[in-house]
Structure formats: C-alpha cells, structure tokens
Amino acid sequence: QPLENGWHLTPYVALNGIWTFDSATANGANTIGEQLRAKTEFGLTLNGNTNQSLDLSIAYDGIGDPNYQALSAKFGLSVGF
C-alpha cells in the first residue's frame, strides 16, 4: 500500500506449527515430551524509494502448549548503497 511520502507499507501475519520431538532424558525423566504448538507473528514492512526497508514485528509462541509461552519482538533495518 503506497503512502503519501512514496514509501510502501506491507502488513503481514504468520502462523507456524512447531513439532517438538522427545528431548534428552535427565535423571531418568524426559525434560520435554513430543507435542505440537503454534507461533503467531504480526508485523509490518516499510519499503522506501531508494532501497531502504524497515521491518517491525511481535510474536507469541506457545499456542496449544500450557507449559510454554514466549513473547518476542523483532526490528530490522536495511539500507542499500
């Protein structure tokens, strides 16, 4: 979507499925069992006229797993020359 200043704004949403395999056994007990969980990410990318881009996003991981949750944020800046 073009903006007034010539930049282009592109919002995005991502949903990833993550399969966790059995991990190593510690003291005779499995530390993590096999299971499926999901991670969702919401973000936007701004692209400029002279080969610049800015990427911002936030994510939540742990959907479907009551024993795991993680929040993350990402910032990226790229300038071509």
Side-chain angles (χ1 to χ4, degrees):
Q1 172 176 343
L3 302 176
E4 290 180 15
N5 60 4
W7 288 64
H8 293 273
L9 174 66
T10 307
Y12 62 89
V13 176
L15 180 64
N16 298 301
I18 303 165
W19 180 258
T20 303
F21 294 94
D22 279 334
S23 66
T25 303
N27 296 326
N30 286 335
T31 55
I32 300 174
E34 288 191 29
Q35 62 188 26
L36 177 66
R37 71 176 194 272
K39 176 182 178 181
T40 186
E41 182 177 359
F42 303 93
L44 59 91
T45 302
L46 285 168
N47 291 308
N49 288 335
T50 56
N51 208 17
Q52 308 116 331
S53 67
L54 175 67
D55 184 47
L56 304 166
S57 69
I58 57 171
Y60 175 76
D61 189 354
I63 299 168
D65 183 353
N67 299 317
Y68 180 80
Q69 63 178 357
L71 294 172
S72 61
K74 183 172 59 174
F75 171 82
L77 176 64
S78 175
V79 178
F81 53 92

Coordinates of all heavy atoms in Angstrom, one line a residue:
Q1 N 0.8 -1.2 0.0 CA 0.0 0.0 0.0 C 0.9 1.2 0.0 O 1.7 1.4 0.9 CB -0.9 0.0 1.2 CG -1.7 1.2 1.5 CD -2.6 1.0 2.7 OE1 -2.9 -0.1 3.1 NE2 -3.1 2.1 3.2
P2 N 0.8 2.1 -1.0 CA 1.7 3.3 -1.1 C 1.2 4.3 -0.1 O 0.1 4.5 0.2 CB 1.5 3.8 -2.5 CG 0.7 2.8 -3.3 CD 0.1 1.8 -2.3
L3 N 2.2 5.0 0.5 CA 1.9 6.1 1.4 C 2.2 7.4 0.7 O 2.8 7.4 -0.4 CB 2.8 6.0 2.7 CG 2.7 4.7 3.5 CD1 3.7 4.6 4.6 CD2 1.3 4.5 4.0
E4 N 1.8 8.5 1.3 CA 2.0 9.8 0.7 C 3.4 10.2 0.4 O 3.8 10.9 -0.5 CB 1.3 10.9 1.6 CG -0.2 10.8 1.6 CD -0.7 11.9 2.5 OE1 0.0 12.9 2.9 OE2 -1.9 11.8 2.9
N5 N 4.4 9.7 1.3 CA 5.8 10.1 1.1 C 6.5 9.2 0.2 O 7.7 9.3 0.1 CB 6.5 10.1 2.5 CG 6.4 8.7 3.2 OD1 5.9 7.8 2.6 ND2 6.9 8.7 4.4
G6 N 5.8 8.3 -0.5 CA 6.5 7.4 -1.5 C 6.9 6.0 -1.0 O 7.3 5.2 -1.7
W7 N 6.8 5.8 0.3 CA 7.1 4.5 0.9 C 5.9 3.6 0.7 O 4.8 4.0 0.5 CB 7.4 4.7 2.4 CG 8.7 5.4 2.7 CD1 9.0 6.7 2.4 CD2 9.8 4.8 3.4 NE1 10.3 6.9 2.9 CE2 10.8 5.8 3.5 CE3 10.0 3.6 4.0 CZ2 12.0 5.6 4.1 CZ3 11.3 3.4 4.6 CH2 12.2 4.4 4.6
H8 N 6.2 2.3 0.8 CA 5.2 1.3 0.7 C 5.1 0.5 2.0 O 6.1 0.0 2.5 CB 5.5 0.3 -0.5 CG 5.4 0.9 -1.8 ND1 4.3 1.0 -2.5 CD2 6.4 1.5 -2.5 CE1 4.5 1.6 -3.6 NE2 5.8 2.0 -3.7
L9 N 3.9 0.4 2.5 CA 3.6 -0.3 3.8 C 3.0 -1.7 3.5 O 2.0 -1.8 2.7 CB 2.6 0.5 4.6 CG 2.1 -0.2 5.9 CD1 3.3 -0.3 6.9 CD2 1.1 0.7 6.5
T10 N 3.6 -2.7 4.0 CA 3.1 -4.1 3.8 C 2.9 -4.8 5.2 O 3.9 -5.2 5.8 CB 4.1 -4.9 3.0 OG1 4.4 -4.2 1.8 CG2 3.5 -6.3 2.7
P11 N 1.7 -4.9 5.7 CA 1.4 -5.6 6.9 C 1.4 -7.1 6.6 O 1.2 -7.6 5.5 CB 0.1 -5.2 7.4 CG -0.6 -4.7 6.1 CD 0.5 -4.3 5.2
Y12 N 1.8 -7.9 7.6 CA 1.7 -9.4 7.5 C 1.4 -10.1 8.8 O 1.6 -9.5 9.8 CB 3.1 -9.9 6.9 CG 4.3 -9.7 7.8 CD1 4.6 -10.6 8.7 CD2 5.0 -8.5 7.6 CE1 5.8 -10.4 9.5 CE2 6.2 -8.3 8.4 CZ 6.5 -9.3 9.3 OH 7.6 -9.1 10.1
V13 N 0.9 -11.3 8.6 CA 0.5 -12.2 9.7 C 1.1 -13.6 9.3 O 1.0 -14.0 8.2 CB -1.0 -12.3 9.9 CG1 -1.3 -13.3 11.0 CG2 -1.6 -10.9 10.2
A14 N 1.7 -14.2 10.3 CA 2.3 -15.6 10.1 C 1.8 -16.5 11.2 O 1.7 -16.1 12.3 CB 3.8 -15.5 10.0
L15 N 1.5 -17.7 10.8 CA 1.2 -18.8 11.8 C 2.1 -20.0 11.5 O 2.0 -20.5 10.3 CB -0.3 -19.1 11.7 CG -0.8 -20.2 12.7 CD1 -0.6 -19.7 14.1 CD2 -2.2 -20.5 12.4
N16 N 2.9 -20.4 12.4 CA 3.8 -21.5 12.2 C 3.4 -22.7 13.2 O 3.2 -22.4 14.4 CB 5.2 -21.1 12.5 CG 5.7 -20.1 11.6 OD1 5.7 -20.3 10.3 ND2 6.1 -18.9 12.1
G17 N 3.4 -23.9 12.7 CA 3.3 -25.1 13.5 C 4.7 -25.6 13.9 O 5.5 -25.7 13.0
I18 N 4.9 -25.9 15.2 CA 6.2 -26.4 15.6 C 6.0 -27.7 16.3 O 5.2 -27.8 17.3 CB 6.8 -25.4 16.6 CG1 6.9 -24.0 15.9 CG2 8.1 -25.9 17.1 CD1 7.2 -22.9 16.9
W19 N 6.7 -28.8 15.8 CA 6.6 -30.1 16.4 C 7.8 -30.3 17.3 O 9.0 -30.1 16.8 CB 6.5 -31.2 15.4 CG 6.5 -32.5 16.0 CD1 7.5 -33.4 16.1 CD2 5.3 -33.2 16.6 NE1 7.1 -34.6 16.7 CE2 5.7 -34.4 17.0 CE3 4.0 -32.8 16.8 CZ2 4.9 -35.3 17.7 CZ3 3.2 -33.6 17.4 CH2 3.6 -34.9 17.8
T20 N 7.7 -30.6 18.6 CA 8.8 -30.8 19.5 C 8.9 -32.3 19.6 O 8.0 -33.0 20.0 CB 8.5 -30.2 20.8 OG1 8.3 -28.8 20.7 CG2 9.7 -30.4 21.8
F21 N 10.1 -32.8 19.3 CA 10.4 -34.2 19.5 C 10.9 -34.5 20.9 O 11.2 -33.5 21.6 CB 11.5 -34.7 18.5 CG 11.1 -34.6 17.1 CD1 11.3 -33.5 16.3 CD2 10.4 -35.7 16.5 CE1 10.9 -33.4 15.0 CE2 10.0 -35.6 15.1 CZ 10.3 -34.5 14.4
D22 N 10.8 -35.7 21.3 CA 11.4 -36.0 22.7 C 12.8 -35.5 22.8 O 13.6 -35.7 21.9 CB 11.4 -37.5 22.9 CG 10.1 -38.1 23.4 OD1 9.3 -37.3 23.9 OD2 9.8 -39.3 23.1
S23 N 13.1 -34.8 23.9 CA 14.5 -34.3 24.0 C 15.2 -35.3 25.0 O 14.6 -36.3 25.4 CB 14.4 -32.9 24.6 OG 13.9 -32.9 25.9
A24 N 16.4 -34.9 25.3 CA 17.2 -35.8 26.1 C 16.6 -36.1 27.5 O 15.8 -35.3 28.1 CB 18.6 -35.1 26.3
T25 N 17.0 -37.3 28.0 CA 16.5 -37.7 29.3 C 17.4 -37.2 30.4 O 18.7 -37.3 30.3 CB 16.4 -39.2 29.4 OG1 15.5 -39.7 28.3 CG2 15.8 -39.7 30.7
A26 N 16.9 -36.6 31.4 CA 17.7 -36.1 32.5 C 17.3 -36.8 33.8 O 16.1 -36.7 34.2 CB 17.6 -34.6 32.6
N27 N 18.2 -37.5 34.4 CA 17.9 -38.2 35.7 C 16.7 -39.2 35.5 O 15.9 -39.3 36.4 CB 17.6 -37.2 36.8 CG 18.8 -36.4 37.1 OD1 20.0 -36.8 37.0 ND2 18.6 -35.1 37.5
G28 N 16.6 -39.8 34.3 CA 15.6 -40.8 34.1 C 14.2 -40.2 33.7 O 13.3 -41.0 33.6
A29 N 14.1 -38.9 33.6 CA 12.8 -38.3 33.2 C 13.0 -37.5 32.0 O 14.0 -36.8 31.8 CB 12.2 -37.4 34.4
N30 N 12.0 -37.6 31.0 CA 12.1 -36.7 29.9 C 11.8 -35.3 30.2 O 10.9 -35.0 31.0 CB 11.0 -37.1 28.8 CG 11.4 -38.4 28.1 OD1 12.5 -38.8 28.0 ND2 10.4 -39.1 27.7
T31 N 12.7 -34.4 29.7 CA 12.5 -33.0 30.0 C 11.4 -32.3 29.2 O 10.8 -31.4 29.7 CB 13.9 -32.2 29.8 OG1 14.3 -32.4 28.5 CG2 14.9 -32.7 30.8
I32 N 11.3 -32.8 28.0 CA 10.2 -32.3 27.1 C 9.7 -33.5 26.3 O 10.4 -34.2 25.7 CB 10.7 -31.2 26.1 CG1 11.3 -30.0 26.8 CG2 9.6 -30.8 25.1 CD1 12.0 -29.0 25.9
G33 N 8.3 -33.6 26.3 CA 7.7 -34.7 25.5 C 7.4 -34.2 24.1 O 7.5 -33.0 23.8
E34 N 7.0 -35.2 23.3 CA 6.6 -34.8 21.9 C 5.2 -34.1 22.0 O 4.3 -34.5 22.6 CB 6.4 -36.1 21.1 CG 7.7 -36.7 20.7 CD 7.6 -37.8 19.7 OE1 6.6 -37.7 18.8 OE2 8.4 -38.7 19.7
Q35 N 5.2 -33.0 21.2 CA 3.9 -32.2 21.1 C 3.9 -31.2 20.0 O 5.0 -30.9 19.5 CB 3.6 -31.5 22.4 CG 4.7 -30.5 22.8 CD 4.4 -30.0 24.2 OE1 3.9 -30.7 25.1 NE2 4.9 -28.8 24.5
L36 N 2.8 -30.7 19.7 CA 2.6 -29.7 18.6 C 2.2 -28.4 19.3 O 1.3 -28.4 20.1 CB 1.6 -30.1 17.6 CG 1.3 -29.2 16.5 CD1 2.5 -29.0 15.6 CD2 0.1 -29.7 15.7
R37 N 2.8 -27.3 18.9 CA 2.4 -26.0 19.4 C 2.4 -25.0 18.2 O 2.9 -25.4 17.1 CB 3.3 -25.5 20.5 CG 4.7 -25.1 20.1 CD 5.4 -24.5 21.3 NE 6.6 -23.8 20.9 CZ 7.8 -24.4 20.7 NH1 7.9 -25.7 20.9 NH2 8.8 -23.7 20.3
A38 N 1.9 -23.8 18.4 CA 1.9 -22.8 17.3 C 2.5 -21.5 17.7 O 2.5 -21.2 18.9 CB 0.5 -22.6 16.8
K39 N 3.0 -20.8 16.7 CA 3.6 -19.5 17.0 C 2.9 -18.6 16.0 O 2.8 -18.9 14.8 CB 5.1 -19.5 16.7 CG 5.8 -18.1 16.8 CD 7.3 -18.2 16.6 CE 7.9 -16.9 16.6 NZ 9.4 -17.0 16.3
T40 N 2.5 -17.4 16.4 CA 1.9 -16.4 15.5 C 2.7 -15.1 15.6 O 3.2 -14.8 16.6 CB 0.4 -16.2 15.9 OG1 -0.2 -15.3 14.9 CG2 0.2 -15.5 17.2
E41 N 2.8 -14.5 14.4 CA 3.6 -13.2 14.3 C 2.8 -12.2 13.6 O 2.2 -12.5 12.5 CB 4.9 -13.5 13.6 CG 5.8 -12.3 13.5 CD 7.2 -12.7 12.8 OE1 7.4 -13.9 12.5 OE2 8.0 -11.8 12.7
F42 N 2.8 -11.0 14.0 CA 2.2 -9.8 13.4 C 3.2 -8.8 13.2 O 4.0 -8.5 14.0 CB 1.1 -9.2 14.3 CG 0.0 -10.2 14.7 CD1 0.1 -10.9 15.9 CD2 -1.1 -10.4 13.9 CE1 -0.8 -11.8 16.3 CE2 -2.0 -11.3 14.3 CZ -1.9 -12.0 15.5
G43 N 3.3 -8.2 11.9 CA 4.3 -7.2 11.7 C 4.0 -6.4 10.5 O 2.9 -6.5 9.8
L44 N 4.9 -5.5 10.2 CA 4.8 -4.6 9.0 C 6.2 -4.3 8.5 O 7.1 -4.3 9.2 CB 4.0 -3.3 9.3 CG 4.6 -2.4 10.4 CD1 5.5 -1.4 9.8 CD2 3.4 -1.7 11.1
T45 N 6.2 -4.1 7.2 CA 7.4 -3.8 6.5 C 7.2 -2.4 5.7 O 6.2 -2.3 5.0 CB 7.8 -4.9 5.5 OG1 8.0 -6.1 6.2 CG2 9.1 -4.5 4.8
L46 N 8.1 -1.5 5.9 CA 8.1 -0.3 5.1 C 9.3 -0.3 4.1 O 10.4 -0.5 4.5 CB 8.3 0.9 6.1 CG 7.1 1.3 6.9 CD1 7.6 2.3 8.0 CD2 6.1 2.0 6.1
N47 N 9.0 -0.1 2.9 CA 10.0 0.0 1.8 C 10.0 1.4 1.2 O 9.0 1.9 0.8 CB 9.7 -1.0 0.7 CG 9.8 -2.5 1.2 OD1 10.8 -2.8 1.7 ND2 8.8 -3.3 1.0
G48 N 11.3 1.9 1.1 CA 11.4 3.3 0.6 C 11.8 3.3 -0.9 O 12.1 2.2 -1.5
N49 N 11.8 4.4 -1.4 CA 12.1 4.6 -2.9 C 13.6 4.3 -3.2 O 13.9 3.9 -4.3 CB 11.8 6.0 -3.3 CG 10.3 6.3 -3.4 OD1 9.6 5.3 -3.5 ND2 9.9 7.5 -3.2
T50 N 14.5 4.5 -2.3 CA 15.9 4.4 -2.6 C 16.5 3.2 -1.9 O 17.6 3.3 -1.2 CB 16.7 5.7 -2.2 OG1 16.4 6.0 -0.8 CG2 16.3 6.9 -3.1
N51 N 15.9 2.1 -1.9 CA 16.4 0.8 -1.5 C 16.6 0.7 0.0 O 17.6 0.2 0.5 CB 17.7 0.5 -2.2 CG 18.0 -1.0 -2.3 OD1 17.1 -1.8 -2.1 ND2 19.2 -1.4 -2.6
Q52 N 15.6 1.3 0.8 CA 15.6 1.1 2.3 C 14.4 0.3 2.7 O 13.4 0.3 2.0 CB 15.5 2.5 3.0 CG 16.5 3.5 2.5 CD 15.7 4.7 1.9 OE1 14.7 4.6 1.3 NE2 16.3 5.9 2.0
S53 N 14.6 -0.4 3.8 CA 13.4 -1.1 4.3 C 13.5 -1.2 5.8 O 14.6 -1.2 6.4 CB 13.3 -2.5 3.7 OG 14.3 -3.3 4.2
L54 N 12.4 -1.2 6.5 CA 12.2 -1.2 7.9 C 11.2 -2.3 8.2 O 10.1 -2.3 7.7 CB 11.8 0.1 8.4 CG 11.5 0.2 9.9 CD1 12.7 0.0 10.7 CD2 10.8 1.6 10.2
D55 N 11.6 -3.3 9.1 CA 10.7 -4.4 9.4 C 10.5 -4.4 10.9 O 11.5 -4.4 11.7 CB 11.3 -5.7 9.0 CG 10.4 -6.9 9.2 OD1 9.2 -6.8 8.9 OD2 10.9 -7.9 9.7
L56 N 9.2 -4.4 11.4 CA 8.9 -4.5 12.8 C 7.9 -5.6 13.0 O 6.9 -5.7 12.2 CB 8.2 -3.2 13.3 CG 9.0 -1.9 13.0 CD1 8.1 -0.7 13.2 CD2 10.2 -1.8 14.0
S57 N 8.0 -6.4 14.0 CA 7.1 -7.4 14.3 C 7.1 -7.8 15.8 O 8.0 -7.6 16.5 CB 7.3 -8.7 13.4 OG 8.5 -9.3 13.8
I58 N 5.9 -8.4 16.2 CA 5.8 -9.0 17.5 C 5.3 -10.5 17.3 O 4.6 -10.7 16.4 CB 4.9 -8.2 18.5 CG1 3.5 -8.1 17.9 CG2 5.5 -6.9 18.8 CD1 2.5 -7.5 18.8
A59 N 5.7 -11.4 18.2 CA 5.3 -12.8 18.1 C 4.9 -13.3 19.4 O 5.5 -12.9 20.5 CB 6.4 -13.6 17.4
Y60 N 4.0 -14.3 19.4 CA 3.7 -15.1 20.6 C 3.8 -16.6 20.2 O 3.3 -17.0 19.2 CB 2.2 -14.8 21.1 CG 1.8 -15.7 22.2 CD1 2.3 -15.5 23.5 CD2 1.0 -16.9 22.0 CE1 2.0 -16.3 24.5 CE2 0.7 -17.7 23.0 CZ 1.2 -17.4 24.3 OH 0.9 -18.3 25.3
D61 N 4.6 -17.3 21.0 CA 4.8 -18.7 20.8 C 4.3 -19.5 22.0 O 4.5 -19.0 23.2 CB 6.3 -19.0 20.7 CG 6.7 -20.4 20.2 OD1 5.8 -21.2 20.1 OD2 7.9 -20.6 20.0
G62 N 3.7 -20.6 21.8 CA 3.2 -21.4 22.9 C 1.7 -21.7 22.8 O 1.1 -22.3 23.7
I63 N 1.1 -21.4 21.6 CA -0.3 -21.7 21.5 C -0.5 -23.2 21.4 O 0.1 -23.9 20.6 CB -0.9 -21.1 20.1 CG1 -0.7 -19.6 20.2 CG2 -2.3 -21.5 19.9 CD1 -0.9 -18.9 18.9
G64 N -1.3 -23.8 22.3 CA -1.6 -25.2 22.4 C -0.7 -25.9 23.3 O -0.9 -27.1 23.6
D65 N 0.2 -25.2 24.0 CA 1.1 -25.9 25.0 C 1.0 -25.1 26.3 O 1.5 -24.0 26.4 CB 2.6 -25.8 24.5 CG 3.5 -26.5 25.5 OD1 3.1 -26.9 26.6 OD2 4.7 -26.7 25.1
P66 N 0.3 -25.6 27.3 CA 0.1 -24.9 28.5 C 1.4 -24.7 29.4 O 1.4 -23.9 30.3 CB -0.9 -25.8 29.3 CG -0.7 -27.2 28.7 CD -0.3 -27.0 27.3
N67 N 2.4 -25.4 29.0 CA 3.7 -25.3 29.8 C 4.7 -24.4 29.1 O 5.9 -24.4 29.6 CB 4.3 -26.7 30.0 CG 3.4 -27.6 30.8 OD1 2.8 -27.2 31.8 ND2 3.2 -28.8 30.3
Y68 N 4.4 -23.8 28.0 CA 5.4 -23.0 27.3 C 4.7 -21.7 26.8 O 3.6 -21.8 26.2 CB 6.0 -23.8 26.2 CG 7.0 -23.0 25.4 CD1 8.3 -22.8 25.9 CD2 6.7 -22.4 24.2 CE1 9.3 -22.1 25.2 CE2 7.7 -21.6 23.5 CZ 8.9 -21.5 24.0 OH 9.9 -20.8 23.3
Q69 N 5.4 -20.6 27.0 CA 4.9 -19.4 26.3 C 6.1 -18.4 26.1 O 7.0 -18.4 27.0 CB 3.8 -18.7 27.1 CG 4.2 -18.2 28.4 CD 3.0 -17.5 29.1 OE1 2.0 -17.3 28.5 NE2 3.2 -17.1 30.3
A70 N 6.2 -17.7 25.0 CA 7.3 -16.8 24.8 C 6.7 -15.6 23.9 O 5.9 -15.8 23.0 CB 8.4 -17.5 24.0
L71 N 7.1 -14.4 24.3 CA 6.8 -13.2 23.5 C 8.1 -12.7 23.0 O 9.2 -12.8 23.6 CB 6.2 -12.2 24.4 CG 4.9 -12.5 25.0 CD1 4.5 -11.4 26.1 CD2 3.8 -12.5 24.0
S72 N 8.1 -12.2 21.7 CA 9.3 -11.7 21.1 C 9.0 -10.5 20.2 O 7.8 -10.4 19.8 CB 10.0 -12.8 20.3 OG 9.2 -13.3 19.3
A73 N 10.0 -9.7 20.0 CA 9.8 -8.5 19.1 C 11.0 -8.5 18.2 O 12.1 -9.0 18.6 CB 9.7 -7.2 19.9
K74 N 10.8 -8.0 17.0 CA 11.9 -8.0 16.0 C 11.9 -6.6 15.3 O 10.9 -6.1 15.0 CB 11.7 -9.1 15.0 CG 12.8 -9.2 13.9 CD 12.6 -10.5 13.1 CE 11.3 -10.5 12.3 NZ 11.2 -11.6 11.4
F75 N 13.1 -6.1 15.1 CA 13.3 -4.9 14.4 C 14.4 -5.1 13.4 O 15.5 -5.6 13.7 CB 13.7 -3.8 15.4 CG 14.2 -2.5 14.8 CD1 13.2 -1.6 14.4 CD2 15.5 -2.2 14.6 CE1 13.6 -0.4 13.8 CE2 15.9 -1.0 14.0 CZ 15.0 -0.1 13.6
G76 N 14.2 -4.7 12.2 CA 15.2 -4.8 11.1 C 15.3 -3.6 10.3 O 14.2 -3.0 10.0
L77 N 16.5 -3.2 9.9 CA 16.7 -2.0 9.1 C 17.7 -2.4 8.0 O 18.7 -3.0 8.3 CB 17.2 -0.9 9.9 CG 17.6 0.4 9.2 CD1 16.4 1.0 8.5 CD2 18.2 1.4 10.1
S78 N 17.4 -2.1 6.8 CA 18.2 -2.4 5.6 C 18.4 -1.1 4.8 O 17.4 -0.5 4.4 CB 17.7 -3.5 4.8 OG 18.4 -3.8 3.7
V79 N 19.6 -0.8 4.5 CA 19.9 0.4 3.6 C 20.8 0.0 2.5 O 22.0 -0.5 2.8 CB 20.4 1.6 4.4 CG1 20.7 2.8 3.5 CG2 19.5 2.0 5.5
G80 N 20.4 0.1 1.3 CA 21.3 -0.3 0.2 C 22.1 0.9 -0.2 O 21.7 2.1 0.0
F81 N 23.3 0.7 -0.8 CA 24.1 1.8 -1.3 C 24.8 1.3 -2.6 O 24.9 0.2 -2.9 CB 25.1 2.2 -0.3 CG 25.9 1.2 0.3 CD1 27.2 0.9 -0.2 CD2 25.5 0.5 1.4 CE1 28.0 -0.1 0.4 CE2 26.3 -0.5 2.0 CZ 27.5 -0.8 1.5

